[in-house]
Amino acid sequence: MAEYYTILTDIGRAKLAAAQAGGDPVRLATIHAGTGGGDNYYDTYGREELEALTALVDEVWDDPINLLKVDDNNPHWVIAEGVVPADDGGWMIREVGLKDIDGDLIVIGRYPPTYKPLLTDGAAQDLKIRAISEWSNAELVEIVVDPTVVMASQSYVHEYTDQRVGELLEEEDPEKALASKAYSDTAAGQAEAAAKQHTDERIDPVDRQTGTPYRVVVVDGVLCIEDMTEE
C-alpha cells in the first residue's frame, strides 16, 4: 500500500453498512488535521491501527467541510476539502480525518508531512487540505454545511462565474435573463450586505471573452452574480 492514503475507520464501515441496509446515509460534517504525535506516526499507525482509531492521534485543527463531491472520473471516490486559515498553524500536518454529525471519526488518513506556518513565521497563507476516500456507494454520503463559515476557493469562483456569466450572455436579452434569475436591484442590495457578512474580500472580475464586468457575492451561502455594466 502507498505510504499516504485515506481509509474508512471501523466505525465508518459500520455506518456505511447500516446505510446500505436501508438506514440513514453517512452525513459528513467536519474535517480534522493533526500532527500524528511526531515523525514516528507513519511507522506506528498502519492500516489496522488507523481503522481502530476513534479520534486523531494529536488533533490540532478542525472546521466544517468546505467542499464535498464525487470525483468526476471515479464514482467511488469522495473528495473532501477544508481550508486552514493563515492565522492558524505552527505545526506539521501528518494525519487527516472526517467526522459525521454525531462526532464519530468516519475517515482517517496518513497525510504527507506538511508544515502549516503562522504569520510570525513570515510566510503564512491559507492551506487547503484535501482528503479522498473510497466508498462502495458514494450516493450514501451526504455533507452537512454551515453556509456562514464555508469558503469558496478562488479557482472554484472563477470556474463557477465563467460558466454562469457565459450562460447569461448567450441569452437574447442578458438583462432580462439576470432579472429572471432574481439578480434584481433589490437582490443585489441584499447580496452586497450578505457579502460583507460572509466573505473576507470582494471579487470584481471581468469575463475573459467578452470583457463584461461582473461581481461575485454570497447570499445565504450561495454564490450569486451581479451585472455591473451599468455601474
Side-chain angles (χ1 to χ4, degrees), residues 166-215:
E167 292 173 357
L168 291 173
L169 293 176
E170 288 175 359
E171 299 282 348
E172 293 184 4
D173 188 341
E175 184 175 350
K176 182 182 296 185
L178 283 168
S180 70
K181 297 179 186 300
Y183 300 129
S184 61
D185 291 339
T186 301
Q190 294 173 343
E192 180 85 14
K196 292 179 180 179
Q197 179 179 358
H198 296 312
T199 60
D200 295 326
E201 61 179 349
R202 294 290 299 278
I203 305 174
D204 296 322
V206 174
D207 183 75
R208 299 169 186 172
Q209 295 182 340
T210 65
T212 302
Y214 57 93
R215 175 179 296 155

Side-chain angles (χ1 to χ4, degrees), residues 130-184:
R130 169 176 285 197
I132 302 176
S133 52
E134 186 167 5
W135 299 72
S136 57
N137 187 350
E139 294 182 354
L140 297 175
V141 182
E142 293 184 357
I143 184 174
V144 178
V145 176
D146 180 351
T148 64
V149 297
V150 170
M151 300 172 60
S153 67
Q154 186 178 20
S155 60
Y156 175 80
V157 169
H158 281 308
E159 292 174 4
Y160 180 88
T161 54
D162 281 351
Q163 176 186 351
R164 299 296 296 121
V165 170
E167 292 173 357
L168 291 173
L169 293 176
E170 288 175 359
E171 299 282 348
E172 293 184 4
D173 188 341
E175 184 175 350
K176 182 182 296 185
L178 283 168
S180 70
K181 297 179 186 300
Y183 300 129
S184 61

Side-chain angles (χ1 to χ4, degrees), residues 38-97:
D39 289 332
N40 61 349
Y41 170 75
Y42 302 109
D43 295 327
T44 305
Y45 292 91
R47 185 183 183 95
E48 292 185 4
E49 291 79 13
L50 290 176
E51 289 175 338
L53 290 178
T54 58
L56 268 63
V57 177
D58 181 32
E59 183 174 319
V60 292
W61 174 86
D62 71 275
D63 211 41
I65 294 173
N66 189 59
L67 170 69
L68 187 79
K69 68 174 186 177
V70 176
D71 184 81
D72 294 334
N73 300 315
N74 189 326
H76 298 296
W77 286 2
V78 174
I79 301 172
E81 293 182 356
V83 179
V84 184
D87 59 358
D88 204 349
W91 18 257
M92 187 74 75
I93 298 174
R94 300 182 182 89
E95 55 178 344
V96 296

